C-alpha cells in the first residue's frame, strides 16, 4: 500500500516516531526522518537499512520554518516527491502553569503547535505542486480536549494541532490531502518516560489510571497510524483516533 511513496516523520529518531518509520518502511515506503539529534536519526536510518528500506536523515529543528522548507526540499531532491507527513516531534515536562516561564511555554508551543503547522504547510504546498494528494497525521494526546494539570503548554499546543487538523482537513480535501490525528495514551518510550513518569512511583501512578492495565507499545501506535495514513482510510479526514486503553474515559466515581 505504501510502495513507492515517501513519508516524512518528525521526531523520527526515537519512540513513536522511530516505530512509525520502521512500520512505514516495512510496508514499502521510503522514509525521511527529521529531528534535532543526528545520532538518533542515523540509528533509525541504520535500522531501516537492515530492512533494505530507502531512507534519509535530515537534522531539523521544526521550530525553524526555513529549516522545515529545506527538509521538504531535501526529501524531494532525494526521492522525487513526498506523499505524507507524520507530525510526531514533541516536547514536554510536567510543571504547574503558574510557575511556567514564558520561555518554557514557548519551547513546547513552538515545537508542538508551530512546528506541526510549518511542517504541514510545507508538505501541503509540495503535494499541491505535485497534484498527487497525500496524507498528514499529527500525534496529539487526549488532554488536548480534557486538559490536564501540569501540562498547560502541551495541552494547549496539542489542542491547537487538533483545531489545525480539522480546519485544514476541510481546506485541503479538494486537493486530495487528508489530515487526521492520533491520540495515544501512555506509551512505553524513553522520552515520555523521562518527561512524564521518571520513577517507579510515578510509573505505577500512571499505570493505575489505565483501565487496560498497561502502557501502549510504540509498535501498536505505529500500526494504527499506518491505517490512518494509508488508502484504507481514504474517506477519513479531520478525525482523531484515541488509542489509550480506555484511560481518558476511565473516570470511575461510584462503586469502588
Ligand atoms: C520547568 C522547564 C523544564 C522543567 C525546561 N524548562 N524543562 N521548566 N520544568 N522540567 C524550561 C527551561 O527552564 C527554559 O525556560 C525553557 O523551558 C526552555 O528550556 P530548554 O531546555 O532551553 O529548551 P530546549 O532545549 O529547546 O528543550 C525543549 C524542551 C525539552 C521541551 C524543554 O524537554 C525537549 O526538547 N524535549 C523533547 C523530548 C520530549 O520532551 N519528549 C517527551 C514527549 S512525550 P527559562 O525561562 O528557564 O529559559 C509527550 C507525551 C504526551 O509529549 C502525551 C502523554 C499521554
Amino acid at each position: 500500500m505504501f510502495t513507492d511513496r515517501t513519508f516524512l516523520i518528525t521526531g523520527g529518531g526515537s519512540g513513536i516516531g522511530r516505530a512509525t518509520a520502521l512500520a512505514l518502511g516495512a510496508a514499502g515506503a521510503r522514509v525521511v526522518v527529521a529531528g534535532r539529534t543526528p545520532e538518533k536519526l542515523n540509528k533509525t536510518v541504520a535500522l531501516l537499512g537492515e530492512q533494505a528500506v530507502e531512507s534519509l536523515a535530515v537534522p531539523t529543528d521544526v521550530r525553524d520554518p526555513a529549516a522545515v522548507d529545506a527538509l521538504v526540499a531535501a526529501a524531494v531532491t532525494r526521492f522525487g516527491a513526498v506523499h505524507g507527513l507524520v507530525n510526531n516531534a514533541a516536547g514536554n515536562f510536567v510543571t504547574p502553569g503558574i510557575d511556567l516561564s514564558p520561555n518554557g511555554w514557548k519551547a513546547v508551543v513552538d515545537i508542538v503547535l508551530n512546528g506541526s503547522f510549518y511542517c504541514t504547510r510545507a508538505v501541503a504546498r509540495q503535494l499541491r505542486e505535485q497534484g498527487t494528494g497525500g496524507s498528514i497525521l499529527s500525534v496529539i494526546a487526549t488532554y488536548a480536549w480534557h486538559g490536564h494539570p501540569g501540562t498547560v503548554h502541551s495541552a494547549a499546543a496539542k489542542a491547537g494541532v487538533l483545531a489545525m487538523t480539522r480546519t485544514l482537513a476541510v481546506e485541503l480535501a479538494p486537493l486530495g490531502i487528508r489530515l487526521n490525528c492520533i491520540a495515544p495514551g501512555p506509551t512505553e518510550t524513553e522520552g515520555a518516560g523521562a518527561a512524564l513518569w521518571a520513577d517507579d512511583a510515578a510509573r505505577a501512578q500512571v499505570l493505575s489510571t489505565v483501565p487496560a492495565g498497561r502502557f501502549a507499545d510504540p509498535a501498536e501506535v505505529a500500526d494504527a497510524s499506518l491505517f490512518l495514513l494509508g488508502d484504507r482510510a481514504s474517506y477519513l479526514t479531520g478525525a482523531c483516533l484515541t488509542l489509550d486503553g480506555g484511560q481518558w474515559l476511565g473516570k470511575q466515581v461510584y462503586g469502588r
Side-chain angles (χ1 to χ4, degrees):
M1 184 185 294
F2 293 98
T3 306
D4 292 332
R5 295 190 192 175
T6 300
F7 283 80
L8 270 57
I9 303 167
T10 67
S14 59
I16 291 172
R18 176 177 286 164
T20 307
L22 294 176
L24 277 167
R30 305 180 187 111
V31 180
V32 179
V33 284
R36 281 179 290 170
T37 315
E39 298 72 32
K40 289 162 67 177
L41 301 177
N42 291 340
K43 172 74 178 166
T44 301
V45 163
L47 291 169
L48 287 162
E50 288 170 14
Q51 298 179 25
V53 175
E54 284 187 275
S55 66
L56 177 68
V58 185
T60 309
D61 187 335
V62 296
R63 294 176 279 197
D64 177 352
V68 167
D69 288 346
L71 160 68
V72 176
V76 172
T77 299
R78 173 67 182 271
F79 294 123
V82 300
H83 303 91
L85 164 71
V86 182
N87 285 314
N88 167 75
N92 213 346
F93 51 84
V94 179
T95 189
I98 198 167
D99 296 326
L100 179 61
S101 72
N103 202 33
W105 167 269
K106 188 171 182 303
V108 171
V109 171
D110 266 354
I111 296 169
V112 174
L113 179 55
N114 296 342
S116 295
F117 175 67
Y118 301 148
C119 292
T120 298
R121 174 180 175 272
V123 167
R125 286 179 167 207
Q126 176 62 29
L127 292 171
R128 178 174 64 185
E129 193 176 317
Q130 291 170 195
T132 55
S135 60
I136 297 173
L137 180 67
S138 295
V139 182
I140 62 166
T142 62
Y143 55 52
W145 56 88
H146 60 66
H148 189 279
T151 69
V152 66
H153 41 10
S154 178
K158 294 207 181 257
V161 173
L162 182 59
M164 175 191 83
T165 297
R166 290 174 170 159
T167 300
L168 296 181
V170 178
E171 286 188 17
L172 299 177
L175 297 179
I177 302 172
R178 298 185 300 104
L179 292 94
N180 293 293
C181 289
I182 186 164
T187 304
E188 194 77 84
T189 67
E190 278 178 30
L196 302 174
W197 51 89
D199 55 44
D200 286 349
R203 188 183 164 83
Q205 157 60 23
V206 172
L207 264 185
S208 75
T209 69
V210 183
R214 65 175 179 84
F215 289 88
D217 184 322
E220 66 191 330
V221 179
D223 258 358
S225 296
L226 259 60
F227 167 70
L228 294 166
L229 287 167
D231 292 345
R232 283 184 299 161
S234 60
Y235 204 51
L236 191 70
T237 196
C240 181
L241 178 66
T242 298
L243 192 87
D244 73 342
Q247 187 194 40
W248 92 271
L249 293 171
K251 303 281 182 286
Q252 185 175 359
V253 175
Y254 307 110
R256 278 188 194 276

